């Protein structure tokens, strides 16, 4: 799996050049706008909610001594919780809404790599959007189910860092998962895609690692994250599909 993680990361190095070569930037205009608006809405909401969560946590300390210190700690914890949950919500919202615009990008990349004689499942704008919503709602539920307990455990002194690292890799996996499905939707039905990503989870994690790191770059991160991550994921997913097809023959 380590090899696939590295492979998923390395795919980003050629993504910018491939986008320019195939003249794909025009397809990313609306998704980049969706990404920016979603980031602003979630960011503003998170800023307000972090204080509310901090106040709630501070009220758990019923003693007067140390009240100010605990309130400060509560605000920090509230901020961390909101940031993590905000990132989870952000990526699933933009990936679901951007699906009808990302699928053509993935298809053009596949045609470039394999030629125009390949046959795919034909899906409409509505079908692509509905599938993406279905995938991302499912992934959002699974991610929250795993992340919330780990988030609580991450506040344990010393060993908490291990749970924080796990949260990062889980976020990366589900980000890469959605990026890969823009290609998989032409080849596999819903359940088949789930199984494919599980078999190639290293590629999903590698792609998602850079996706998450991009979001840490102010402004430009939310603008470029979709074009580069979708392009990188498309290339690696196509390679994986070809490899599995070869072994099946």
């Amino acid at each position: 799996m380590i090899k696939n993680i590295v492979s998923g990361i390395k795919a980003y190095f050629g993504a910018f050049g491939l986008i320019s070569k195939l003249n794909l930037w025009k397809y990313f205009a609306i998704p980049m706008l969706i990404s920016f608006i979603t980031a602003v809405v979630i960011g503003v909401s998170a800023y307000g909610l972090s204080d509310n969560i901090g106040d709630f946590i501070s009220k758990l300390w019923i003693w007067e001594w140390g009240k100010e210190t605990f309130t400060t700690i509560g605000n920090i914890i509230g901020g961390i919780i909101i940031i993590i949950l905000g990132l989870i919500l952000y990526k699933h919202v933009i990936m679901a809404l951007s699906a009808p615009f990302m699928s053509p990008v993935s298809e053009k990349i596949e045609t470039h790599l394999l030629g125009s004689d390949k046959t795919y499942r034909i899906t409409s704008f509505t079908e692509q959007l509905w599938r993406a919503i279905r995938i991302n709602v499912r992934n959002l539920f699974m991610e929250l189910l795993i992340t919330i307990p780990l988030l609580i455990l991450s506040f344990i002194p010393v060993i908490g860092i291990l749970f924080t690292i796990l949260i990062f890799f889980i976020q990366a996996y589900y980000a890469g998962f959605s990026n890969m499905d823009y290609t998989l939707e032409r080849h596999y039905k819903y359940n088949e895609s789930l199984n494919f990503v599980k078999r190639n989870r290293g590629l999903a994690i590698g792609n998602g690692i850079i996706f998450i790191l991009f979001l840490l770059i102010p402004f430009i991160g939310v603008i470029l994250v979709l074009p580069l991550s979708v392009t990188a994921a498309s290339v690696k997913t196509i390679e994986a599909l070809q490899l599995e097809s070869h072994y099946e023959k």
Side-chain angles (χ1 to χ4, degrees):
M1 188 169 71
I2 299 297
K3 181 180 178 181
N4 277 347
I5 291 176
V6 173
S7 180
I9 292 173
K10 289 172 65 177
Y12 277 85
F13 292 111
F16 196 96
L18 186 58
I19 293 172
S20 300
K21 181 178 181 179
L22 300 182
N23 194 27
L24 299 176
W25 286 110
K26 58 188 177 185
Y27 293 97
F28 293 112
I30 294 178
M32 286 192 291
L33 182 61
I34 292 172
S35 177
F36 178 74
I37 292 174
T38 304
V40 170
V41 171
I42 291 179
V44 171
S45 301
Y47 182 79
L49 287 173
S50 61
D51 288 339
N52 294 334
I53 293 178
D55 289 341
F56 174 77
I57 293 174
S58 66
K59 289 177 181 178
L60 298 177
W61 189 265
I62 60 175
W63 301 275
E64 285 301 321
W65 62 271
K67 184 71 173 179
E68 185 175 340
T69 300
F70 192 79
T71 299
T72 301
I73 294 173
N75 287 333
I76 293 173
I77 292 174
I80 293 172
I81 291 172
I82 287 297
I83 288 172
I84 292 175
L85 296 182
L87 281 174
I88 292 173
L89 182 60
Y90 163 80
K91 68 174 183 283
H92 290 299
V93 169
I94 64 167
M95 287 177 165
L97 297 181
S98 299
F101 307 99
M102 297 296 93
S103 293
V105 169
S106 174
E107 185 173 350
K108 286 186 176 296
I109 292 172
E110 187 162 2
T111 299
H112 170 72
L113 295 176
L114 303 180
S116 58
D117 59 337
K118 304 298 290 183
T119 57
Y120 314 119
R121 293 175 61 245
I122 305 299
T123 54
S124 67
F125 183 100
T126 304
E127 288 172 327
Q128 291 164 3
L129 179 60
W130 170 243
R131 174 180 167 121
I133 291 173
R134 187 181 177 192
I135 286 281
N136 281 279
V137 168
R138 178 259 183 195
N139 286 352
L140 175 61
F141 175 78
M142 293 297 297
E143 193 170 351
L144 289 175
L145 193 65
I146 299 170
T147 300
I148 290 175
L150 291 177
L151 187 56
I152 295 170
L153 292 172
S154 69
F155 292 110
I156 299 175
V158 185
I159 63 170
I161 187 65
L162 298 176
F163 298 108
T164 303
I165 293 171
L166 277 176
I167 290 172
F168 175 81
F169 280 108
I170 289 165
Q171 287 227 28
Y173 171 71
Y174 283 108
F177 190 132
S178 296
N179 283 328
M180 291 174 70
D181 196 63
Y182 297 135
T183 298
L184 295 176
E185 65 92 14
R186 293 192 304 280
H187 297 270
Y188 292 142
K189 294 181 180 179
Y190 179 83
N191 288 326
E192 293 172 329
S193 292
L194 299 184
N195 292 329
F196 179 91
V197 177
K198 288 177 183 177
R199 293 194 300 271
N200 296 275
R201 60 173 58 91
L203 292 178
I205 293 172
N207 179 269
I209 285 173
I210 305 300
F211 181 98
I212 299 300
L213 292 178
F214 252 97
L215 297 182
L216 302 180
I217 304 174
F219 186 72
I220 195 171
V222 298
I223 298 297
L224 291 179
V225 67
L226 271 178
L228 297 181
S229 64
V230 171
T231 301
S234 296
V235 171
K236 285 300 162 184
T237 304
I238 292 164
E239 289 180 1
L241 284 167
Q242 288 295 105
L243 188 61
E244 289 202 1
S245 176
H246 172 75
Y247 282 121
E248 287 173 1
K249 290 181 179 178

